[in-house]
Amino acid sequence: MGGKLVIVPTPIGNLGDMTLRSLEALRGADVVCAEDTRVTGKLLAHFGIEKRLERLDEAMIGAKAAAVVDRIVSGEVVAYCSDAGMPGVSDPGLRLVAAAREAGAAVEVLPGASAAACAYVASGTVCPRFYFGGFFPRKATEQRSVLEELRGLDAALVFYESPNRLLAALATIAEVLPWRSVAVCRELTKLHEEVARGTAVELVERFAARADEPGGIRGEIALVIDAPNEAEAAAGAEAAAASAEMRAAELMAEGLRTKEVAKQLSAEFGIPRNDAYDLAMRQGKEQ
């Protein structure tokens, strides 16, 4: 049989979630490439599988992917494992698959656990769509930029986050999206699994108290920010109306005629022409 790359998902916490197909693939591979050989080595040992292990993490995959793909083309069966979950989802596996596809090598992707999908369902959202953004940015300015860019998307937003940065992330969410429900999904599928739901402000208070306790906040975390709601839409409309009124007053003070003000308001704020004209008329009477 010819060589191929087999993308092998592993459990995100509970070893009972290892699939039969994944075990079969690991046993049948010539070599297992792993994001961390220590993590994958423990997994193989647990299931009594002895295989040659090669480390292939983010720092190494750029330099080594081509050589691994050459071996696959030459007939080697290479299994790839992330530290946990579905390889290629926020890890270097994606680049290995791309290199193999580009070289025309056979690629087999096995289905398995994904923390993003698990968190989306566990969050309790009723929105039938979700956007996965990978790891939440580290810097507050970048966090705000991402949230502002995605705030109009009619979908739940899913991000991975570190327990050490959880409070800062929630604080930024509270600042940009204060009306949204948020779920902090921690240690999914593990013994101490937790899904905490509330507004970002409520969750900041909840986890700030825990941060002061012995042990602090621990575990792998996925954040799920619910889709836009009616309260947010109403607040946005109110803010837009206030901004439009201020702009109308500025334009009238500059000496523009009512029709010119209405045209400008319609262009800047997307207000229907009749509504913009009524707003301009009101401002003209007040001045």
Side-chain angles (χ1 to χ4, degrees):
M1 295 180 63
K4 64 179 177 179
L5 170 65
V6 186
I7 299 299
V8 182
T10 57
I12 60 176
N14 191 320
L15 291 178
D17 295 331
M18 190 70 175
T19 70
L20 295 176
R21 285 188 68 195
S22 289
L23 292 173
E24 181 182 359
L26 292 173
R27 294 189 180 104
D30 295 311
V31 62
V32 176
C33 291
E35 185 179 7
D36 189 329
T37 54
R38 295 166 299 180
V39 173
T40 302
K42 292 178 181 178
L43 178 73
L44 295 179
H46 177 83
F47 290 103
I49 301 173
E50 295 184 4
K51 286 291 171 180
R52 178 163 55 95
L53 280 168
E54 294 182 10
R55 190 180 184 96
L56 200 60
D57 58 17
E58 185 66 38
M60 302 169 65
I61 202 162
K64 291 192 172 183
V68 172
V69 171
D70 285 344
R71 286 158 47 189
I72 294 170
V73 173
S74 298
E76 194 167 12
V77 176
V78 176
Y80 182 80
C81 295
S82 302
D83 287 353
M86 191 71 188
V89 180
S90 286
D91 78 20
L94 203 61
R95 296 170 65 186
L96 185 59
V97 171
R101 295 290 191 195
E102 185 175 353
V107 178
E108 182 180 6
V109 180
L110 306 185
S114 169
C118 190
Y120 163 65
V121 176
S123 71
T125 181
V126 296
C127 182
R129 295 163 296 279
F130 76 92
Y131 170 91
F132 176 59
F135 285 93
F136 203 47
R138 291 172 177 263
K139 297 181 179 179
T141 53
E142 295 175 359
Q143 291 173 353
R144 294 189 194 95
S145 177
V146 167
L147 293 177
E148 289 288 0
E149 183 179 347
L150 297 174
R151 71 184 307 157
L153 193 64
D154 186 20
L157 310 178
V158 182
F159 298 96
Y160 293 156
E161 185 55 285
S162 160
N164 297 327
R165 296 192 297 270
L166 176 62
L167 291 177
L170 289 172
T172 303
I173 296 169
E175 176 186 339
V176 180
L177 302 173
W179 301 275
R180 302 277 184 102
S181 292
V182 180
V184 175
C185 303
R186 192 181 65 84
E187 293 289 83
L188 290 173
T189 79
K190 299 178 183 178
L191 180 62
H192 299 292
E193 176 180 304
E194 175 186 19
V195 178
R197 186 175 172 87
T199 65
V201 172
E202 293 168 344
L203 291 173
V204 166
E205 295 177 355
R206 176 170 178 171
F207 283 96
R210 187 177 303 180
D212 295 332
E213 298 174 355
I217 305 169
R218 295 182 178 181
E220 297 178 337
I221 293 172
L223 294 172
V224 182
I225 306 170
D226 217 339
N229 53 42
E230 292 182 1
E232 181 175 356
E238 184 177 341
S243 297
E245 287 184 6
M246 291 179 60
R247 182 60 174 152
E250 292 174 356
L251 294 172
M252 295 296 291
E254 293 174 5
L256 271 69
R257 293 180 302 173
T258 302
K259 288 185 177 180
E260 293 172 332
V261 172
K263 183 178 179 180
Q264 190 72 15
L265 292 176
S266 182
E268 291 185 17
F269 295 92
I271 301 172
R273 185 64 63 87
N274 290 339
D275 293 344
Y277 187 82
D278 291 341
L279 177 57
M281 285 287 290
R282 289 198 303 273
Q283 286 299 320
K285 293 178 181 179
E286 293 178 3
Q287 293 189 358

